[in-house]
mmCIF file with all atom_site columns, all heavy atoms in Angstrom:
data_model
loop_
_atom_site.group_PDB
_atom_site.id
_atom_site.type_symbol
_atom_site.label_atom_id
_atom_site.label_alt_id
_atom_site.label_comp_id
_atom_site.label_asym_id
_atom_site.label_entity_id
_atom_site.label_seq_id
_atom_site.pdbx_PDB_ins_code
_atom_site.Cartn_x
_atom_site.Cartn_y
_atom_site.Cartn_z
_atom_site.occupancy
_atom_site.B_iso_or_equiv
_atom_site.pdbx_formal_charge
_atom_site.auth_seq_id
_atom_site.auth_comp_id
_atom_site.auth_asym_id
_atom_site.auth_atom_id
_atom_site.pdbx_PDB_model_num
ATOM 1   N N   . ALA A 1 1  ? 33.627 -50.412 66.004 1.00 58.00 ? 187 ALA A N   1
ATOM 2   C CA  . ALA A 1 1  ? 34.727 -49.512 65.737 1.00 58.00 ? 187 ALA A CA  1
ATOM 3   C C   . ALA A 1 1  ? 35.467 -49.842 64.466 1.00 58.00 ? 187 ALA A C   1
ATOM 4   O O   . ALA A 1 1  ? 35.932 -48.979 63.715 1.00 58.00 ? 187 ALA A O   1
ATOM 5   C CB  . ALA A 1 1  ? 35.696 -49.484 66.940 1.00 58.00 ? 187 ALA A CB  1
ATOM 6   N N   . ASP A 1 2  ? 35.580 -51.142 64.153 1.00 61.00 ? 188 ASP A N   1
ATOM 7   C CA  . ASP A 1 2  ? 36.339 -51.557 62.969 1.00 61.00 ? 188 ASP A CA  1
ATOM 8   C C   . ASP A 1 2  ? 35.677 -51.178 61.668 1.00 61.00 ? 188 ASP A C   1
ATOM 9   O O   . ASP A 1 2  ? 36.293 -51.161 60.604 1.00 61.00 ? 188 ASP A O   1
ATOM 10  C CB  . ASP A 1 2  ? 36.569 -53.086 62.983 1.00 61.00 ? 188 ASP A CB  1
ATOM 11  C CG  . ASP A 1 2  ? 37.556 -53.497 64.075 1.00 61.00 ? 188 ASP A CG  1
ATOM 12  O OD1 . ASP A 1 2  ? 38.253 -52.589 64.614 1.00 61.00 ? 188 ASP A OD1 1
ATOM 13  O OD2 . ASP A 1 2  ? 37.601 -54.694 64.414 1.00 61.00 ? 188 ASP A OD2 1
ATOM 14  N N   . LEU A 1 3  ? 34.360 -50.883 61.722 1.00 67.00 ? 189 LEU A N   1
ATOM 15  C CA  . LEU A 1 3  ? 33.656 -50.495 60.492 1.00 67.00 ? 189 LEU A CA  1
ATOM 16  C C   . LEU A 1 3  ? 34.040 -49.086 60.012 1.00 67.00 ? 189 LEU A C   1
ATOM 17  O O   . LEU A 1 3  ? 33.810 -48.749 58.852 1.00 67.00 ? 189 LEU A O   1
ATOM 18  C CB  . LEU A 1 3  ? 32.131 -50.536 60.727 1.00 67.00 ? 189 LEU A CB  1
ATOM 19  C CG  . LEU A 1 3  ? 31.563 -51.940 60.924 1.00 67.00 ? 189 LEU A CG  1
ATOM 20  C CD1 . LEU A 1 3  ? 30.089 -51.823 61.345 1.00 67.00 ? 189 LEU A CD1 1
ATOM 21  C CD2 . LEU A 1 3  ? 31.673 -52.751 59.643 1.00 67.00 ? 189 LEU A CD2 1
ATOM 22  N N   . TYR A 1 4  ? 34.582 -48.292 60.897 1.00 66.00 ? 190 TYR A N   1
ATOM 23  C CA  . TYR A 1 4  ? 34.932 -46.908 60.537 1.00 66.00 ? 190 TYR A CA  1
ATOM 24  C C   . TYR A 1 4  ? 35.801 -46.863 59.295 1.00 66.00 ? 190 TYR A C   1
ATOM 25  O O   . TYR A 1 4  ? 35.591 -46.052 58.404 1.00 66.00 ? 190 TYR A O   1
ATOM 26  C CB  . TYR A 1 4  ? 35.646 -46.248 61.721 1.00 66.00 ? 190 TYR A CB  1
ATOM 27  C CG  . TYR A 1 4  ? 36.145 -44.844 61.418 1.00 66.00 ? 190 TYR A CG  1
ATOM 28  C CD1 . TYR A 1 4  ? 35.334 -43.746 61.670 1.00 66.00 ? 190 TYR A CD1 1
ATOM 29  C CD2 . TYR A 1 4  ? 37.399 -44.616 60.930 1.00 66.00 ? 190 TYR A CD2 1
ATOM 30  C CE1 . TYR A 1 4  ? 35.775 -42.458 61.400 1.00 66.00 ? 190 TYR A CE1 1
ATOM 31  C CE2 . TYR A 1 4  ? 37.835 -43.345 60.646 1.00 66.00 ? 190 TYR A CE2 1
ATOM 32  C CZ  . TYR A 1 4  ? 37.028 -42.273 60.883 1.00 66.00 ? 190 TYR A CZ  1
ATOM 33  O OH  . TYR A 1 4  ? 37.488 -40.993 60.608 1.00 66.00 ? 190 TYR A OH  1
ATOM 34  N N   . ILE A 1 5  ? 36.794 -47.737 59.239 1.00 68.00 ? 191 ILE A N   1
ATOM 35  C CA  . ILE A 1 5  ? 37.769 -47.667 58.153 1.00 68.00 ? 191 ILE A CA  1
ATOM 36  C C   . ILE A 1 5  ? 37.225 -48.214 56.850 1.00 68.00 ? 191 ILE A C   1
ATOM 37  O O   . ILE A 1 5  ? 37.668 -47.806 55.756 1.00 68.00 ? 191 ILE A O   1
ATOM 38  C CB  . ILE A 1 5  ? 39.078 -48.403 58.565 1.00 68.00 ? 191 ILE A CB  1
ATOM 39  C CG1 . ILE A 1 5  ? 40.232 -47.995 57.633 1.00 68.00 ? 191 ILE A CG1 1
ATOM 40  C CG2 . ILE A 1 5  ? 38.856 -49.907 58.573 1.00 68.00 ? 191 ILE A CG2 1
ATOM 41  C CD1 . ILE A 1 5  ? 40.629 -46.551 57.770 1.00 68.00 ? 191 ILE A CD1 1
ATOM 42  N N   . CYS A 1 6  ? 36.262 -49.139 56.885 1.00 78.00 ? 192 CYS A N   1
ATOM 43  C CA  . CYS A 1 6  ? 35.841 -49.788 55.640 1.00 78.00 ? 192 CYS A CA  1
ATOM 44  C C   . CYS A 1 6  ? 34.535 -49.219 55.074 1.00 78.00 ? 192 CYS A C   1
ATOM 45  O O   . CYS A 1 6  ? 34.284 -49.329 53.893 1.00 78.00 ? 192 CYS A O   1
ATOM 46  C CB  . CYS A 1 6  ? 35.718 -51.286 55.820 1.00 78.00 ? 192 CYS A CB  1
ATOM 47  S SG  . CYS A 1 6  ? 34.439 -51.819 56.976 1.00 78.00 ? 192 CYS A SG  1
ATOM 48  N N   . GLU A 1 7  ? 33.679 -48.590 55.904 1.00 81.00 ? 193 GLU A N   1
ATOM 49  C CA  . GLU A 1 7  ? 32.416 -48.128 55.389 1.00 81.00 ? 193 GLU A CA  1
ATOM 50  C C   . GLU A 1 7  ? 32.522 -47.079 54.269 1.00 81.00 ? 193 GLU A C   1
ATOM 51  O O   . GLU A 1 7  ? 31.810 -47.173 53.274 1.00 81.00 ? 193 GLU A O   1
ATOM 52  C CB  . GLU A 1 7  ? 31.538 -47.575 56.527 1.00 81.00 ? 193 GLU A CB  1
ATOM 53  C CG  . GLU A 1 7  ? 30.090 -47.312 56.056 1.00 81.00 ? 193 GLU A CG  1
ATOM 54  C CD  . GLU A 1 7  ? 29.202 -46.757 57.157 1.00 81.00 ? 193 GLU A CD  1
ATOM 55  O OE1 . GLU A 1 7  ? 29.482 -45.664 57.657 1.00 81.00 ? 193 GLU A OE1 1
ATOM 56  O OE2 . GLU A 1 7  ? 28.219 -47.440 57.517 1.00 81.00 ? 193 GLU A OE2 1
ATOM 57  N N   . PRO A 1 8  ? 33.454 -46.132 54.352 1.00 83.00 ? 194 PRO A N   1
ATOM 58  C CA  . PRO A 1 8  ? 33.613 -45.191 53.230 1.00 83.00 ? 194 PRO A CA  1
ATOM 59  C C   . PRO A 1 8  ? 33.918 -45.901 51.911 1.00 83.00 ? 194 PRO A C   1
ATOM 60  O O   . PRO A 1 8  ? 33.446 -45.485 50.826 1.00 83.00 ? 194 PRO A O   1
ATOM 61  C CB  . PRO A 1 8  ? 34.771 -44.292 53.653 1.00 83.00 ? 194 PRO A CB  1
ATOM 62  C CG  . PRO A 1 8  ? 34.659 -44.299 55.139 1.00 83.00 ? 194 PRO A CG  1
ATOM 63  C CD  . PRO A 1 8  ? 34.275 -45.706 55.496 1.00 83.00 ? 194 PRO A CD  1
ATOM 64  N N   . GLU A 1 9  ? 34.716 -46.969 51.950 1.00 81.00 ? 195 GLU A N   1
ATOM 65  C CA  . GLU A 1 9  ? 35.017 -47.739 50.751 1.00 81.00 ? 195 GLU A CA  1
ATOM 66  C C   . GLU A 1 9  ? 33.775 -48.441 50.209 1.00 81.00 ? 195 GLU A C   1
ATOM 67  O O   . GLU A 1 9  ? 33.549 -48.520 49.007 1.00 81.00 ? 195 GLU A O   1
ATOM 68  C CB  . GLU A 1 9  ? 36.126 -48.748 51.019 1.00 81.00 ? 195 GLU A CB  1
ATOM 69  C CG  . GLU A 1 9  ? 37.377 -48.205 51.676 1.00 81.00 ? 195 GLU A CG  1
ATOM 70  C CD  . GLU A 1 9  ? 38.146 -47.237 50.789 1.00 81.00 ? 195 GLU A CD  1
ATOM 71  O OE1 . GLU A 1 9  ? 38.005 -47.331 49.551 1.00 81.00 ? 195 GLU A OE1 1
ATOM 72  O OE2 . GLU A 1 9  ? 38.890 -46.418 51.338 1.00 81.00 ? 195 GLU A OE2 1
ATOM 73  N N   . LEU A 1 10 ? 32.962 -48.957 51.116 1.00 82.00 ? 196 LEU A N   1
ATOM 74  C CA  . LEU A 1 10 ? 31.724 -49.640 50.714 1.00 82.00 ? 196 LEU A CA  1
ATOM 75  C C   . LEU A 1 10 ? 30.753 -48.650 50.063 1.00 82.00 ? 196 LEU A C   1
ATOM 76  O O   . LEU A 1 10 ? 30.120 -48.969 49.085 1.00 82.00 ? 196 LEU A O   1
ATOM 77  C CB  . LEU A 1 10 ? 31.075 -50.299 51.933 1.00 82.00 ? 196 LEU A CB  1
ATOM 78  C CG  . LEU A 1 10 ? 31.858 -51.446 52.599 1.00 82.00 ? 196 LEU A CG  1
ATOM 79  C CD1 . LEU A 1 10 ? 31.164 -51.877 53.891 1.00 82.00 ? 196 LEU A CD1 1
ATOM 80  C CD2 . LEU A 1 10 ? 32.012 -52.614 51.641 1.00 82.00 ? 196 LEU A CD2 1
ATOM 81  N N   . VAL A 1 11 ? 30.647 -47.455 50.637 1.00 82.00 ? 197 VAL A N   1
ATOM 82  C CA  . VAL A 1 11 ? 29.767 -46.453 50.061 1.00 82.00 ? 197 VAL A CA  1
ATOM 83  C C   . VAL A 1 11 ? 30.230 -46.055 48.659 1.00 82.00 ? 197 VAL A C   1
ATOM 84  O O   . VAL A 1 11 ? 29.431 -45.932 47.735 1.00 82.00 ? 197 VAL A O   1
ATOM 85  C CB  . VAL A 1 11 ? 29.686 -45.190 50.975 1.00 82.00 ? 197 VAL A CB  1
ATOM 86  C CG1 . VAL A 1 11 ? 28.919 -44.079 50.276 1.00 82.00 ? 197 VAL A CG1 1
ATOM 87  C CG2 . VAL A 1 11 ? 29.005 -45.548 52.284 1.00 82.00 ? 197 VAL A CG2 1
ATOM 88  N N   . GLU A 1 12 ? 31.550 -45.885 48.530 1.00 83.00 ? 198 GLU A N   1
ATOM 89  C CA  . GLU A 1 12 ? 32.103 -45.520 47.220 1.00 83.00 ? 198 GLU A CA  1
ATOM 90  C C   . GLU A 1 12 ? 31.760 -46.590 46.179 1.00 83.00 ? 198 GLU A C   1
ATOM 91  O O   . GLU A 1 12 ? 31.408 -46.262 45.039 1.00 83.00 ? 198 GLU A O   1
ATOM 92  C CB  . GLU A 1 12 ? 33.622 -45.388 47.319 1.00 83.00 ? 198 GLU A CB  1
ATOM 93  C CG  . GLU A 1 12 ? 34.283 -44.794 46.106 1.00 83.00 ? 198 GLU A CG  1
ATOM 94  C CD  . GLU A 1 12 ? 35.777 -44.543 46.346 1.00 83.00 ? 198 GLU A CD  1
ATOM 95  O OE1 . GLU A 1 12 ? 36.461 -45.448 46.853 1.00 83.00 ? 198 GLU A OE1 1
ATOM 96  O OE2 . GLU A 1 12 ? 36.214 -43.425 46.024 1.00 83.00 ? 198 GLU A OE2 1
ATOM 97  N N   . LYS A 1 13 ? 31.772 -47.862 46.569 1.00 82.00 ? 199 LYS A N   1
ATOM 98  C CA  . LYS A 1 13 ? 31.448 -48.965 45.659 1.00 82.00 ? 199 LYS A CA  1
ATOM 99  C C   . LYS A 1 13 ? 29.962 -48.933 45.289 1.00 82.00 ? 199 LYS A C   1
ATOM 100 O O   . LYS A 1 13 ? 29.601 -49.128 44.132 1.00 82.00 ? 199 LYS A O   1
ATOM 101 C CB  . LYS A 1 13 ? 31.807 -50.292 46.320 1.00 82.00 ? 199 LYS A CB  1
ATOM 102 C CG  . LYS A 1 13 ? 31.540 -51.503 45.439 1.00 82.00 ? 199 LYS A CG  1
ATOM 103 C CD  . LYS A 1 13 ? 32.416 -51.539 44.212 1.00 82.00 ? 199 LYS A CD  1
ATOM 104 C CE  . LYS A 1 13 ? 32.242 -52.815 43.414 1.00 82.00 ? 199 LYS A CE  1
ATOM 105 N NZ  . LYS A 1 13 ? 33.038 -52.824 42.180 1.00 82.00 ? 199 LYS A NZ  1
ATOM 106 N N   . VAL A 1 14 ? 29.098 -48.692 46.283 1.00 83.00 ? 200 VAL A N   1
ATOM 107 C CA  . VAL A 1 14 ? 27.669 -48.623 46.014 1.00 83.00 ? 200 VAL A CA  1
ATOM 108 C C   . VAL A 1 14 ? 27.358 -47.482 45.048 1.00 83.00 ? 200 VAL A C   1
ATOM 109 O O   . VAL A 1 14 ? 26.585 -47.649 44.121 1.00 83.00 ? 200 VAL A O   1
ATOM 110 C CB  . VAL A 1 14 ? 26.867 -48.456 47.338 1.00 83.00 ? 200 VAL A CB  1
ATOM 111 C CG1 . VAL A 1 14 ? 25.416 -48.115 47.059 1.00 83.00 ? 200 VAL A CG1 1
ATOM 112 C CG2 . VAL A 1 14 ? 26.942 -49.704 48.189 1.00 83.00 ? 200 VAL A CG2 1
ATOM 113 N N   . VAL A 1 15 ? 27.958 -46.331 45.282 1.00 79.00 ? 201 VAL A N   1
ATOM 114 C CA  . VAL A 1 15 ? 27.730 -45.187 44.398 1.00 79.00 ? 201 VAL A CA  1
ATOM 115 C C   . VAL A 1 15 ? 28.193 -45.478 42.987 1.00 79.00 ? 201 VAL A C   1
ATOM 116 O O   . VAL A 1 15 ? 27.502 -45.132 42.003 1.00 79.00 ? 201 VAL A O   1
ATOM 117 C CB  . VAL A 1 15 ? 28.440 -43.937 44.977 1.00 79.00 ? 201 VAL A CB  1
ATOM 118 C CG1 . VAL A 1 15 ? 28.386 -42.780 43.959 1.00 79.00 ? 201 VAL A CG1 1
ATOM 119 C CG2 . VAL A 1 15 ? 27.802 -43.520 46.284 1.00 79.00 ? 201 VAL A CG2 1
ATOM 120 N N   . SER A 1 16 ? 29.315 -46.146 42.827 1.00 84.00 ? 202 SER A N   1
ATOM 121 C CA  . SER A 1 16 ? 29.843 -46.429 41.477 1.00 84.00 ? 202 SER A CA  1
ATOM 122 C C   . SER A 1 16 ? 28.976 -47.419 40.729 1.00 84.00 ? 202 SER A C   1
ATOM 123 O O   . SER A 1 16 ? 29.058 -47.518 39.516 1.00 84.00 ? 202 SER A O   1
ATOM 124 C CB  . SER A 1 16 ? 31.287 -46.941 41.554 1.00 84.00 ? 202 SER A CB  1
ATOM 125 O OG  . SER A 1 16 ? 31.327 -48.230 42.165 1.00 84.00 ? 202 SER A OG  1
ATOM 126 N N   . SER A 1 17 ? 28.109 -48.171 41.454 1.00 86.00 ? 203 SER A N   1
ATOM 127 C CA  . SER A 1 17 ? 27.229 -49.130 40.800 1.00 86.00 ? 203 SER A CA  1
ATOM 128 C C   . SER A 1 17 ? 26.125 -48.466 40.000 1.00 86.00 ? 203 SER A C   1
ATOM 129 O O   . SER A 1 17 ? 25.509 -49.107 39.138 1.00 86.00 ? 203 SER A O   1
ATOM 130 C CB  . SER A 1 17 ? 26.585 -50.042 41.866 1.00 86.00 ? 203 SER A CB  1
ATOM 131 O OG  . SER A 1 17 ? 25.570 -49.359 42.566 1.00 86.00 ? 203 SER A OG  1
ATOM 132 N N   . GLY A 1 18 ? 25.864 -47.206 40.259 1.00 86.00 ? 204 GLY A N   1
ATOM 133 C CA  . GLY A 1 18 ? 24.816 -46.485 39.553 1.00 86.00 ? 204 GLY A CA  1
ATOM 134 C C   . GLY A 1 18 ? 23.447 -46.534 40.239 1.00 86.00 ? 204 GLY A C   1
ATOM 135 O O   . GLY A 1 18 ? 22.504 -45.853 39.831 1.00 86.00 ? 204 GLY A O   1
ATOM 136 N N   . GLU A 1 19 ? 23.333 -47.351 41.280 1.00 86.00 ? 205 GLU A N   1
ATOM 137 C CA  . GLU A 1 19 ? 22.054 -47.487 41.935 1.00 86.00 ? 205 GLU A CA  1
ATOM 138 C C   . GLU A 1 19 ? 21.614 -46.204 42.616 1.00 86.00 ? 205 GLU A C   1
ATOM 139 O O   . GLU A 1 19 ? 20.436 -45.851 42.604 1.00 86.00 ? 205 GLU A O   1
ATOM 140 C CB  . GLU A 1 19 ? 22.083 -48.646 42.956 1.00 86.00 ? 205 GLU A CB  1
ATOM 141 C CG  . GLU A 1 19 ? 22.175 -50.004 42.298 1.00 86.00 ? 205 GLU A CG  1
ATOM 142 C CD  . GLU A 1 19 ? 22.074 -51.142 43.323 1.00 86.00 ? 205 GLU A CD  1
ATOM 143 O OE1 . GLU A 1 19 ? 21.899 -50.868 44.511 1.00 86.00 ? 205 GLU A OE1 1
ATOM 144 O OE2 . GLU A 1 19 ? 22.216 -52.329 42.899 1.00 86.00 ? 205 GLU A OE2 1
ATOM 145 N N   . LEU A 1 20 ? 22.554 -45.490 43.208 1.00 80.00 ? 206 LEU A N   1
ATOM 146 C CA  . LEU A 1 20 ? 22.200 -44.223 43.880 1.00 80.00 ? 206 LEU A CA  1
ATOM 147 C C   . LEU A 1 20 ? 21.693 -43.202 42.863 1.00 80.00 ? 206 LEU A C   1
ATOM 148 O O   . LEU A 1 20 ? 20.735 -42.469 43.137 1.00 80.00 ? 206 LEU A O   1
ATOM 149 C CB  . LEU A 1 20 ? 23.404 -43.662 44.635 1.00 80.00 ? 206 LEU A CB  1
ATOM 150 C CG  . LEU A 1 20 ? 23.139 -42.382 45.438 1.00 80.00 ? 206 LEU A CG  1
ATOM 151 C CD1 . LEU A 1 20 ? 22.048 -42.582 46.466 1.00 80.00 ? 206 LEU A CD1 1
ATOM 152 C CD2 . LEU A 1 20 ? 24.432 -41.890 46.095 1.00 80.00 ? 206 LEU A CD2 1
ATOM 153 N N   . ASP A 1 21 ? 22.308 -43.149 41.682 1.00 81.00 ? 207 ASP A N   1
ATOM 154 C CA  . ASP A 1 21 ? 21.826 -42.231 40.638 1.00 81.00 ? 207 ASP A CA  1
ATOM 155 C C   . ASP A 1 21 ? 20.389 -42.544 40.270 1.00 81.00 ? 207 ASP A C   1
ATOM 156 O O   . ASP A 1 21 ? 19.567 -41.629 40.084 1.00 81.00 ? 207 ASP A O   1
ATOM 157 C CB  . ASP A 1 21 ? 22.715 -42.336 39.396 1.00 81.00 ? 207 ASP A CB  1
ATOM 158 C CG  . ASP A 1 21 ? 24.095 -41.753 39.604 1.00 81.00 ? 207 ASP A CG  1
ATOM 159 O OD1 . ASP A 1 21 ? 24.224 -40.903 40.522 1.00 81.00 ? 207 ASP A OD1 1
ATOM 160 O OD2 . ASP A 1 21 ? 25.024 -42.143 38.896 1.00 81.00 ? 207 ASP A OD2 1
ATOM 161 N N   . LYS A 1 22 ? 20.075 -43.847 40.106 1.00 86.00 ? 208 LYS A N   1
ATOM 162 C CA  . LYS A 1 22 ? 18.690 -44.249 39.795 1.00 86.00 ? 208 LYS A CA  1
ATOM 163 C C   . LYS A 1 22 ? 17.726 -43.824 40.911 1.00 86.00 ? 208 LYS A C   1
ATOM 164 O O   . LYS A 1 22 ? 16.630 -43.320 40.665 1.00 86.00 ? 208 LYS A O   1
ATOM 165 C CB  . LYS A 1 22 ? 18.606 -45.762 39.602 1.00 86.00 ? 208 LYS A CB  1
ATOM 166 C CG  . LYS A 1 22 ? 19.195 -46.280 38.301 1.00 86.00 ? 208 LYS A CG  1
ATOM 167 C CD  . LYS A 1 22 ? 18.957 -47.776 38.192 1.00 86.00 ? 208 LYS A CD  1
ATOM 168 C CE  . LYS A 1 22 ? 19.517 -48.350 36.890 1.00 86.00 ? 208 LYS A CE  1
ATOM 169 N NZ  . LYS A 1 22 ? 19.269 -49.797 36.788 1.00 86.00 ? 208 LYS A NZ  1
ATOM 170 N N   . GLY A 1 23 ? 18.163 -44.043 42.153 1.00 82.00 ? 209 GLY A N   1
ATOM 171 C CA  . GLY A 1 23 ? 17.297 -43.731 43.272 1.00 82.00 ? 209 GLY A CA  1
ATOM 172 C C   . GLY A 1 23 ? 17.038 -42.239 43.388 1.00 82.00 ? 209 GLY A C   1
ATOM 173 O O   . GLY A 1 23 ? 15.895 -41.790 43.648 1.00 82.00 ? 209 GLY A O   1
ATOM 174 N N   . ILE A 1 24 ? 18.087 -41.437 43.232 1.00 80.00 ? 210 ILE A N   1
ATOM 175 C CA  . ILE A 1 24 ? 17.926 -39.973 43.340 1.00 80.00 ? 210 ILE A CA  1
ATOM 176 C C   . ILE A 1 24 ? 17.062 -39.453 42.178 1.00 80.00 ? 210 ILE A C   1
ATOM 177 O O   . ILE A 1 24 ? 16.214 -38.590 42.372 1.00 80.00 ? 210 ILE A O   1
ATOM 178 C CB  . ILE A 1 24 ? 19.294 -39.289 43.386 1.00 80.00 ? 210 ILE A CB  1
ATOM 179 C CG1 . ILE A 1 24 ? 19.988 -39.614 44.708 1.00 80.00 ? 210 ILE A CG1 1
ATOM 180 C CG2 . ILE A 1 24 ? 19.130 -37.786 43.235 1.00 80.00 ? 210 ILE A CG2 1
ATOM 181 C CD1 . ILE A 1 24 ? 21.379 -39.054 44.828 1.00 80.00 ? 210 ILE A CD1 1
ATOM 182 N N   . GLN A 1 25 ? 17.273 -39.976 40.968 1.00 83.00 ? 211 GLN A N   1
ATOM 183 C CA  . GLN A 1 25 ? 16.452 -39.536 39.842 1.00 83.00 ? 211 GLN A CA  1
ATOM 184 C C   . GLN A 1 25 ? 14.977 -39.863 40.067 1.00 83.00 ? 211 GLN A C   1
ATOM 185 O O   . GLN A 1 25 ? 14.082 -39.040 39.806 1.00 83.00 ? 211 GLN A O   1
ATOM 186 C CB  . GLN A 1 25 ? 16.920 -40.202 38.543 1.00 83.00 ? 211 GLN A CB  1
ATOM 187 C CG  . GLN A 1 25 ? 16.229 -39.653 37.297 1.00 83.00 ? 211 GLN A CG  1
ATOM 188 C CD  . GLN A 1 25 ? 16.438 -38.163 37.110 1.00 83.00 ? 211 GLN A CD  1
ATOM 189 O OE1 . GLN A 1 25 ? 17.573 -37.691 37.120 1.00 83.00 ? 211 GLN A OE1 1
ATOM 190 N NE2 . GLN A 1 25 ? 15.328 -37.430 36.970 1.00 83.00 ? 211 GLN A NE2 1
ATOM 191 N N   . ALA A 1 26 ? 14.713 -41.053 40.608 1.00 83.00 ? 212 ALA A N   1
ATOM 192 C CA  . ALA A 1 26 ? 13.325 -41.412 40.917 1.00 83.00 ? 212 ALA A CA  1
ATOM 193 C C   . ALA A 1 26 ? 12.756 -40.495 42.013 1.00 83.00 ? 212 ALA A C   1
ATOM 194 O O   . ALA A 1 26 ? 11.561 -40.142 41.986 1.00 83.00 ? 212 ALA A O   1
ATOM 195 C CB  . ALA A 1 26 ? 13.254 -42.876 41.364 1.00 83.00 ? 212 ALA A CB  1
ATOM 196 N N   . PHE A 1 27 ? 13.593 -40.135 42.954 1.00 78.00 ? 213 PHE A N   1
ATOM 197 C CA  . PHE A 1 27 ? 13.160 -39.198 44.005 1.00 78.00 ? 213 PHE A CA  1
ATOM 198 C C   . PHE A 1 27 ? 12.751 -37.864 43.393 1.00 78.00 ? 213 PHE A C   1
ATOM 199 O O   . PHE A 1 27 ? 11.708 -37.317 43.728 1.00 78.00 ? 213 PHE A O   1
ATOM 200 C CB  . PHE A 1 27 ? 14.310 -39.015 45.005 1.00 78.00 ? 213 PHE A CB  1
ATOM 201 C CG  . PHE A 1 27 ? 14.054 -37.974 46.044 1.00 78.00 ? 213 PHE A CG  1
ATOM 202 C CD1 . PHE A 1 27 ? 13.260 -38.238 47.157 1.00 78.00 ? 213 PHE A CD1 1
ATOM 203 C CD2 . PHE A 1 27 ? 14.652 -36.706 45.953 1.00 78.00 ? 213 PHE A CD2 1
ATOM 204 C CE1 . PHE A 1 27 ? 13.047 -37.298 48.138 1.00 78.00 ? 213 PHE A CE1 1
ATOM 205 C CE2 . PHE A 1 27 ? 14.450 -35.733 46.920 1.00 78.00 ? 213 PHE A CE2 1
ATOM 206 C CZ  . PHE A 1 27 ? 13.624 -36.012 48.012 1.00 78.00 ? 213 PHE A CZ  1
ATOM 207 N N   . TYR A 1 28 ? 13.558 -37.356 42.472 1.00 78.00 ? 214 TYR A N   1
ATOM 208 C CA  . TYR A 1 28 ? 13.192 -36.112 41.781 1.00 78.00 ? 214 TYR A CA  1
ATOM 209 C C   . TYR A 1 28 ? 11.919 -36.270 40.989 1.00 78.00 ? 214 TYR A C   1
ATOM 210 O O   . TYR A 1 28 ? 11.058 -35.348 40.953 1.00 78.00 ? 214 TYR A O   1
ATOM 211 C CB  . TYR A 1 28 ? 14.306 -35.694 40.827 1.00 78.00 ? 214 TYR A CB  1
ATOM 212 C CG  . TYR A 1 28 ? 15.614 -35.305 41.481 1.00 78.00 ? 214 TYR A CG  1
ATOM 213 C CD1 . TYR A 1 28 ? 16.838 -35.567 40.865 1.00 78.00 ? 214 TYR A CD1 1
ATOM 214 C CD2 . TYR A 1 28 ? 15.655 -34.673 42.741 1.00 78.00 ? 214 TYR A CD2 1
ATOM 215 C CE1 . TYR A 1 28 ? 18.033 -35.212 41.447 1.00 78.00 ? 214 TYR A CE1 1
ATOM 216 C CE2 . TYR A 1 28 ? 16.834 -34.313 43.327 1.00 78.00 ? 214 TYR A CE2 1
ATOM 217 C CZ  . TYR A 1 28 ? 18.037 -34.607 42.698 1.00 78.00 ? 214 TYR A CZ  1
ATOM 218 O OH  . TYR A 1 28 ? 19.227 -34.251 43.291 1.00 78.00 ? 214 TYR A OH  1
ATOM 219 N N   . ASP A 1 29 ? 11.743 -37.420 40.328 1.00 81.00 ? 215 ASP A N   1
ATOM 220 C CA  . ASP A 1 29 ? 10.594 -37.643 39.465 1.00 81.00 ? 215 ASP A CA  1
ATOM 221 C C   . ASP A 1 29 ? 9.357  -38.101 40.235 1.00 81.00 ? 215 ASP A C   1
ATOM 222 O O   . ASP A 1 29 ? 8.302  -38.266 39.619 1.00 81.00 ? 215 ASP A O   1
ATOM 223 C CB  . ASP A 1 29 ? 10.927 -38.724 38.417 1.00 81.00 ? 215 ASP A CB  1
ATOM 224 C CG  . ASP A 1 29 ? 12.045 -38.299 37.487 1.00 81.00 ? 215 ASP A CG  1
ATOM 225 O OD1 . ASP A 1 29 ? 12.306 -37.102 37.363 1.00 81.00 ? 215 ASP A OD1 1
ATOM 226 O OD2 . ASP A 1 29 ? 12.688 -39.200 36.887 1.00 81.00 ? 215 ASP A OD2 1
ATOM 227 N N   . LYS A 1 30 ? 9.521  -38.312 41.556 1.00 83.00 ? 216 LYS A N   1
ATOM 228 C CA  . LYS A 1 30 ? 8.435  -38.824 42.378 1.00 83.00 ? 216 LYS A CA  1
ATOM 229 C C   . LYS A 1 30 ? 7.884  -40.157 41.847 1.00 83.00 ? 216 LYS A C   1
ATOM 230 O O   . LYS A 1 30 ? 6.679  -40.372 41.735 1.00 83.00 ? 216 LYS A O   1
ATOM 231 C CB  . LYS A 1 30 ? 7.311  -37.800 42.525 1.00 83.00 ? 216 LYS A CB  1
ATOM 232 C CG  . LYS A 1 30 ? 7.754  -36.462 43.144 1.00 83.00 ? 216 LYS A CG  1
ATOM 233 C CD  . LYS A 1 30 ? 6.603  -35.560 43.408 1.00 83.00 ? 216 LYS A CD  1
ATOM 234 C CE  . LYS A 1 30 ? 7.028  -34.175 43.878 1.00 83.00 ? 216 LYS A CE  1
ATOM 235 N NZ  . LYS A 1 30 ? 7.967  -34.197 45.009 1.00 83.00 ? 216 LYS A NZ  1
ATOM 236 N N   . SER A 1 31 ? 8.808  -41.001 41.448 1.00 88.00 ? 217 SER A N   1
ATOM 237 C CA  . SER A 1 31 ? 8.459  -42.338 40.901 1.00 88.00 ? 217 SER A CA  1
ATOM 238 C C   . SER A 1 31 ? 9.190  -43.408 41.674 1.00 88.00 ? 217 SER A C   1
ATOM 239 O O   . SER A 1 31 ? 9.949  -43.139 42.602 1.00 88.00 ? 217 SER A O   1
ATOM 240 C CB  . SER A 1 31 ? 8.856  -42.423 39.431 1.00 88.00 ? 217 SER A CB  1
ATOM 241 O OG  . SER A 1 31 ? 10.268 -42.269 39.275 1.00 88.00 ? 217 SER A OG  1
#
């Protein structure tokens, strides 16, 4: 239950790292 409040902040941090952009671009490129 305690993860509810912190997980959105963790996701925001992961997204700001740029890794999700790389992953999605590779998904589009099938690479």
Side-chain angles (χ1 to χ4, degrees):
D188 290 345
L189 291 172
Y190 176 90
I191 196 66
C192 66
E193 191 180 62
E195 308 294 336
L196 295 173
V197 172
E198 189 173 49
K199 182 65 175 178
V200 170
V201 171
S202 68
S203 74
E205 290 185 3
L206 182 60
D207 290 336
K208 286 184 179 181
I210 291 177
Q211 187 59 53
F213 174 79
Y214 294 146
D215 297 339
K216 301 187 186 308
S217 62

